[in-house]
Amino acid sequence: MKTVNGKAVEPRPLRLADLSGVQGVFTDVDGTLTTDHKLRSQTVRSLEQLSAAGLRVVLVSGRPAGWGEAWARQLPVDGVVVENGGLFFLKDAKGKLRKVYLEPPAQRVANRQRLEKEVERVLAQVPGARLSVDSRYTEVDLAVDYNEEARLGDEGASRIESLLRARGVTAVRSSVHINCWLGRFDKLSASRRFAKVAWGEKLDPADGRYVYAGDSFNDAPMFQAFKLGVGVANVRAVLDRIDAPPAFITRAPEGRGFEELASALLARRRTARSRSRGVST
C-alpha cells in the first residue's frame, strides 16, 4: 500500500470525489460488478442508465476472450478488455464487433506455447492447483483457480504466484483467479490502446475524464494511474498488500458498490444538465 511519512494512505470516501468532468467508466467485473459471483439485475440496470446518460462504459477483466465477446454483444457497454489486457472488443461505426490484440500473431503463438508449459510445471508442484474451468476459452493468458471452485487460500495462491514469477511469467491475482501471461501488457496499457482505437483519444487517466472501478490485486495498475480510481468496499481485504490502492472507496461491496458509484455519477450528470439549462438545484 502507498505510504506517506511512513503511514498507510487510506482511500477517501466516494462522496469526496470530484466527478464533475467524468465522461465514462472503465470497470473490473468479478467482485466489482458481480455480487457473490452473480451479476444482479440492479447492476445491469446501472450499466443501462450510465449508457443512456451518455457516459461511456468499458469492462476491463481477466476473464477469457470468449466471455468478452459475449459481454460486448449483450451488455450495454462500449467495449470490453479481457485477459488482463491481452485483447479487447469494440464496435465500429456500423456496429460490427471488432477484436484487437495487443501483440502480433507470431509473438502470441510463441508466448502461448511457452506459457502452457510453464504453467503446467508449476501446477504439478502445488497440491490441488488447477486451471480455471474457463481457461479453455482464453487466447492469450491462462488462469489458475484459487477462489472460484478451488479453495487454495492466500498461502496457496501466493506460492503459485511466486513459482510462476520465478519462471518469468507475469502472475497477478483477481478476486477468483491467478491470471498469468507472457507479454508486455496489462489492464492499463490495453485501456490506453482501446481509447486510441475506439475513440481516437489519448487516455490520460489523471485528467478526471474517466473513472476506474475495481477490487483486487490486478487492478493496481489502474488504481495507480487513474486520478479517479474507485475501489468497491471489498477492496479493503487486500489494501495491506496491493501495490497501489484506489483513491476513493464506496460504502457498499461488490456490485452494490458499483451501483453506488453509478448513482453518484448519474446524480452529478443531472445536476450539470440542470445548471446548463439555468434550472436551480
Side-chain angles (χ1 to χ4, degrees), residues 56 88 90 98 191-204 209-210:
R56 294 164 168 171
F88 57 80
L90 72 158
R98 180 182 174 192
S191 295
R192 285 179 167 145
R193 179 81 178 276
F194 178 92
K196 182 177 181 180
V197 173
W199 307 321
E201 294 183 5
K202 181 178 180 180
L203 180 63
D204 183 356
R209 287 182 299 155
Y210 295 96

Side-chain angles (χ1 to χ4, degrees), residues 77-91:
V77 297
D78 294 85
V80 181
V81 176
V82 285
E83 302 195 25
N84 279 286
L87 67 153
F88 57 80
F89 295 88
L90 72 158
K91 292 181 180 177

Side-chain angles (χ1 to χ4, degrees), residues 58-75:
V58 180
L59 308 185
V60 187
S61 175
R63 289 291 186 175
W67 288 45
E69 180 176 349
W71 288 338
R73 291 185 186 279
Q74 297 177 346
L75 292 176

Side-chain angles (χ1 to χ4, degrees), residues 149-230:
E149 295 182 7
R151 292 291 180 268
L152 299 183
D154 283 342
E155 183 177 348
S158 295
R159 187 180 178 206
I160 291 169
E161 286 176 309
S162 178
L163 289 169
L164 286 168
R165 290 169 184 166
R167 305 192 72 88
V169 177
T170 300
V172 186
R173 262 185 270 181
S174 71
S175 59
V176 290
H177 297 158
I178 301 163
N179 298 112
C180 37
W181 67 91
L182 294 167
R184 299 181 64 181
F185 59 82
D186 57 17
K187 286 186 172 186
L188 179 59
S189 60
S191 295
R192 285 179 167 145
R193 179 81 178 276
F194 178 92
K196 182 177 181 180
V197 173
W199 307 321
E201 294 183 5
K202 181 178 180 180
L203 180 63
D204 183 356
D207 69 9
R209 287 182 299 155
Y210 295 96
V211 172
Y212 180 73
D215 77 303
S216 197
F217 297 101
N218 62 341
D219 297 310
M222 303 293 272
F223 287 152
Q224 185 171 41
F226 276 67
K227 175 183 177 182
L228 294 173
V230 178

Side-chain angles (χ1 to χ4, degrees), residues 21-280:
V22 173
Q23 298 176 11
V25 181
F26 288 80
T27 179
D28 174 52
V29 178
D30 285 289
T32 302
L33 290 184
T34 62
T35 301
D36 294 329
H37 307 294
K38 304 292 184 182
L39 191 58
R40 302 168 70 240
S41 61
Q42 297 94 322
T43 309
V44 176
R45 179 58 178 155
S46 290
L47 294 174
E48 292 172 341
Q49 291 172 330
L50 290 170
S51 180
L55 288 161
R56 294 164 168 171
V57 181
V58 180
L59 308 185
V60 187
S61 175
R63 289 291 186 175
W67 288 45
E69 180 176 349
W71 288 338
R73 291 185 186 279
Q74 297 177 346
L75 292 176
V77 297
D78 294 85
V80 181
V81 176
V82 285
E83 302 195 25
N84 279 286
L87 67 153
F88 57 80
F89 295 88
L90 72 158
K91 292 181 180 177
D92 63 22
K94 296 182 179 180
K96 184 177 180 180
L97 195 64
R98 180 182 174 192
K99 182 193 292 186
V100 179
Y101 295 93
L102 269 284
E103 297 188 321
Q107 188 172 5
R108 290 201 311 273
V109 170
N111 283 347
R112 180 73 178 202
Q113 290 175 345
R114 181 188 158 203
L115 178 64
E116 289 176 350
K117 292 176 182 178
E118 300 292 7
V119 172
E120 184 178 0
R121 292 187 181 103
V122 168
L123 293 182
Q125 298 179 60
V126 182
R130 65 189 189 199
L131 288 176
S132 65
V133 172
D134 63 5
S135 275
R136 70 188 66 182
Y137 309 117
T138 61
E139 296 187 37
V140 179
D141 80 350
L142 289 170
V144 178
D145 185 353
Y146 81 94
N147 193 39
E148 187 168 43
E149 295 182 7
R151 292 291 180 268
L152 299 183
D154 283 342
E155 183 177 348
S158 295
R159 187 180 178 206
I160 291 169
E161 286 176 309
S162 178
L163 289 169
L164 286 168
R165 290 169 184 166
R167 305 192 72 88
V169 177
T170 300
V172 186
R173 262 185 270 181
S174 71
S175 59
V176 290
H177 297 158
I178 301 163
N179 298 112
C180 37
W181 67 91
L182 294 167
R184 299 181 64 181
F185 59 82
D186 57 17
K187 286 186 172 186
L188 179 59
S189 60
S191 295
R192 285 179 167 145
R193 179 81 178 276
F194 178 92
K196 182 177 181 180
V197 173
W199 307 321
E201 294 183 5
K202 181 178 180 180
L203 180 63
D204 183 356
D207 69 9
R209 287 182 299 155
Y210 295 96
V211 172
Y212 180 73
D215 77 303
S216 197
F217 297 101
N218 62 341
D219 297 310
M222 303 293 272
F223 287 152
Q224 185 171 41
F226 276 67
K227 175 183 177 182
L228 294 173
V230 178
V232 290
N234 43 300
V235 76
R236 290 192 183 281
V238 300
L239 282 181
D240 60 338
R241 293 167 289 156
I242 196 169
D243 290 340
F248 301 95
I249 194 167
T250 63
R251 294 187 303 275
E254 299 194 295
R256 290 179 176 85
F258 182 83
E259 293 160 28
E260 182 183 328
L261 170 61
S263 294
L265 289 167
L266 292 166
R268 186 64 188 82
R269 196 82 162 174
R270 288 192 294 270
T271 299
R273 286 179 177 175
S274 296
R275 286 176 177 169
S276 67
R277 295 169 184 166
V279 178
S280 176

